[in-house]
Amino acid sequence: MIHVPFDAGRSLLIGGRWEGAAATMAVTNPFSGEALGEVACADASHVERAVASGLTGAAAMADLSTGERARILRCAASALESEAGRFSAAITAETGKPIRSATREVARAVNTLRLSAEEATRLAGETIAFDSFPGGEARSGHYLHEPLGVIAAITPFNDPLNLICHKIGPAFAAGNAVVLKPAEQAPLVAIMLARLMLAAGLPDGALNLLTGHGRDFGDALTSHRDVAMVSFTGGANVGQAICRSAGIKRVAMELGGNGPVIVMDDADIDKAAKACAAGAFGAAGQNCIGVQRIYVHDTVHDAFRDAIVAATNALRVGDPMDPATDIGPMICPQQAERIVHWTEEAVAQGATLLAGGERAGTLVRPTLLADVPEDARVACHEAFGPVVSLFRFTDLDEAIGAANRADYAIHAAIFTESLRHARHAARRLRVAGVMINDSTDYRLDAMPFGGAGRGNMGREGVRFAMREMSQTKVVCFHDA
């Protein structure tokens, strides 16, 4: 069991002070079922106070120099790096993510905070040539970027540390305050990070943390008139509800994906198979940019099928705290049951089970399917679990057309030795990122990141998120 060196029941951070609430909820380990602790459940009254605190914090952040914002973020990054082991263990305990993957997530979060510190001093405007057009004579000026104010940040469980850093890092670098609502399944890591941020010198009110059930206070937070922006990562249904409640304010959303991969006849089959297996089943498939559909050229289909079956069967499923484990549990039994049900449903519709398909509690063996009908749920919806479907194709445009049939996507990938094929796919795939000879799940924290298609708005990636979290102001001098 994870050691929690604080009173998790006092998990609400408002105005720089920790407090509890009348109601609490339990946090459990998805692998063992052990109780990790309890956290307070916020309600609408806490939202009012947190947003009011955020207004005070936003004013304090806006008054800080960019150098001071950068210093706080660098200090927080260094502290996180020094406590990497404790944070990694907490991520694994709360989410079931294998400890090796959790360790990588902490390293990425450190990098995200350091990138935010660097970008804090780079968010600059430009001079404007007002005299370049008649009517602008004797005028000079510039534009600059100013913070929005209070940002509501709502994060999921699958990357409970780094995805928080991708919201609060850019927000603080741009001079904003944040009201953070972490995933119900993984609030302890958020509490640990908030304590670390306060110790780094963050002004009171700059970060406010509300744990609990979104149904109890989500609408109050996203609809609040003093919340200038909502940044949300999660499911499409919740995203739609947020859009209805938010009204006229900035909204940035990443609502999931259905990652397609194309394997051409000239691809390195062994490399492609291993990359697709890793990209599909890491984090038990609970990854919005994970591999879900693989389109394989007919001439290499059987060779690729055999290679990915071997790569999949070689993955070790089990205790996420064991460094040898590749695949840990899903977040809860209900999600594990759903993936097995979707798999059985596809088989009943004519799909062939190549590997996996079994469940033991929250553990689901990595599952490969072939001959999957295109209207099966495992193919046309985001699976968000360890199941992948193989399809045949004979023409690249045919594969691109099939890849583009999903309503939403974030990344796609193509394995090929042909620069012409790679460029053609990069132009035609309707996604936000195309990985060449790499899995769809590759992400560099400095690159622009977001979705394409229905319901996805805005971009993350530190520098790009900072622009979303800022507004431009023009300053013009009439010199005459």
Side-chain angles (χ1 to χ4, degrees):
M1 178 171 168
I2 180 178
H3 173 60
V4 181
F6 50 80
D7 180 3
R10 296 179 63 82
S11 60
L12 307 181
L13 176 62
I14 301 175
R17 297 179 180 274
W18 294 96
E19 59 183 74
T24 62
M25 69 177 187
V27 183
T28 60
N29 183 312
F31 175 71
S32 67
E34 291 179 284
L36 301 176
E38 291 188 342
V39 297
C41 293
D43 58 31
S45 68
H46 296 106
V47 169
E48 285 296 328
R49 293 170 49 228
V51 174
S53 169
L55 290 172
T56 301
M61 289 298 295
D63 285 343
L64 290 181
S65 68
T66 57
E68 179 61 12
R69 295 175 202 161
R71 186 202 64 77
I72 292 170
L73 289 163
R74 283 195 299 268
C75 181
S78 295
L80 178 58
E81 187 173 45
S82 70
E83 297 189 45
R86 189 167 70 94
F87 274 83
S88 299
I91 290 170
T92 297
E94 284 194 292
T95 69
K97 179 179 286 190
I99 190 64
R100 285 187 285 123
S101 298
T103 300
R104 288 193 295 270
E105 181 180 345
V106 175
R108 287 184 59 192
V110 170
N111 186 49
T112 300
L113 291 177
R114 285 182 173 150
L115 285 170
S116 299
E118 293 173 8
E119 293 297 338
T121 60
R122 296 175 183 163
L123 188 63
E126 296 181 359
T127 58
I128 302 171
F130 283 96
D131 62 354
S132 64
F133 192 79
E137 297 87 356
R139 289 174 174 84
S140 62
H142 60 279
Y143 71 87
L144 49 85
H145 300 281
E146 291 192 336
L148 294 178
V150 179
I151 294 175
I154 304 171
T155 57
F157 72 85
N158 57 324
D159 282 310
L161 177 65
N162 194 37
L163 288 181
I164 289 177
C165 290
H166 265 289
K167 296 187 188 299
I168 68 171
F172 295 151
N176 298 287
V178 174
V179 178
L180 172 64
K181 193 280 178 198
E184 296 171 16
Q185 304 92 333
L188 298 181
V189 172
I191 298 168
M192 292 165 63
L193 180 64
R195 290 178 177 273
L196 185 150
M197 294 299 307
L198 292 182
L202 201 65
D204 289 347
L207 176 60
N208 300 274
L209 174 63
L210 300 179
T211 55
H213 300 288
R215 63 175 182 266
D216 294 335
F217 63 92
D219 281 352
L221 176 60
T222 57
S223 65
H224 200 291
R225 61 171 296 176
D226 290 326
V227 169
M229 176 180 175
V230 178
S231 178
F232 170 71
T233 301
N237 290 337
V238 177
Q240 288 179 345
I242 288 173
C243 283
R244 286 193 293 268
S245 69
I248 303 175
K249 60 168 60 80
R250 289 199 192 182
V251 178
M253 291 191 173
E254 191 278 285
L255 302 179
N258 184 342
V261 177
I262 297 171
V263 181
M264 295 298 295
D265 54 352
D266 62 348
D268 181 329
I269 296 302
D270 187 58
K271 174 182 177 180
K274 290 179 179 177
C276 286
F281 302 125
Q286 298 166 125
N287 180 2
C288 60
I289 52 175
V291 175
Q292 183 170 334
R293 296 170 291 146
I294 308 176
Y295 299 91
V296 188
H297 196 280
D298 189 66
T299 60
V300 297
H301 178 276
D302 291 355
F304 178 85
R305 177 200 61 205
D306 294 345
I308 195 171
V309 167
T312 298
N313 287 334
L315 295 170
R316 181 168 174 173
V317 181
D319 184 350
M321 283 303 296
D322 184 344
T325 295
D326 299 301
I327 311 297
M330 295 193 70
I331 194 63
C332 64
Q334 293 79 10
Q335 289 302 311
E337 290 170 3
R338 176 184 61 83
I339 288 298
V340 172
H341 176 66
W342 282 19
T343 298
E344 292 172 344
E345 183 181 74
V347 171
Q349 292 176 278
T352 301
L353 182 65
L354 300 176
E358 304 95 14
R359 177 176 77 89
T362 51
L363 294 174
V364 178
R365 288 207 62 82
T367 301
L368 282 172
L369 296 168
D371 312 311
V372 179
E374 289 191 350
D375 61 350
R377 283 195 283 188
V378 292
C380 62
H381 295 288
E382 181 182 32
F384 213 67
V387 58
V388 176
S389 302
L390 303 187
F391 303 89
R392 295 177 182 264
F393 75 90
T394 57
D395 175 77
L396 176 55
D397 283 330
E398 171 196 352
I400 292 171
N404 285 342
R405 286 194 190 112
D407 287 340
Y408 43 82
I410 301 174
H411 289 172
I414 181 170
F415 287 86
T416 180
E417 296 302 309
S418 167
L419 184 60
R420 181 171 62 84
H421 286 155
R423 290 188 180 279
H424 182 72
R427 286 195 302 270
R428 297 295 180 86
L429 286 163
R430 293 198 297 271
V431 292
V434 179
M435 306 299 119
I436 313 298
N437 291 326
D438 212 340
S439 165
T440 57
D441 79 326
Y442 178 75
R443 179 183 180 184
L444 180 69
D445 293 300
M447 75 189 199
F449 180 81
R454 178 177 58 84
N456 286 283
M457 297 175 279
R459 285 292 178 265
E460 290 196 341
V462 174
R463 180 160 65 94
F464 306 91
M466 285 178 66
R467 295 301 175 100
E468 302 275 354
M469 297 173 173
S470 304
Q471 57 191 356
T472 57
K473 175 185 283 185
V474 173
V475 178
C476 178
F477 293 88
H478 189 182
D479 299 323

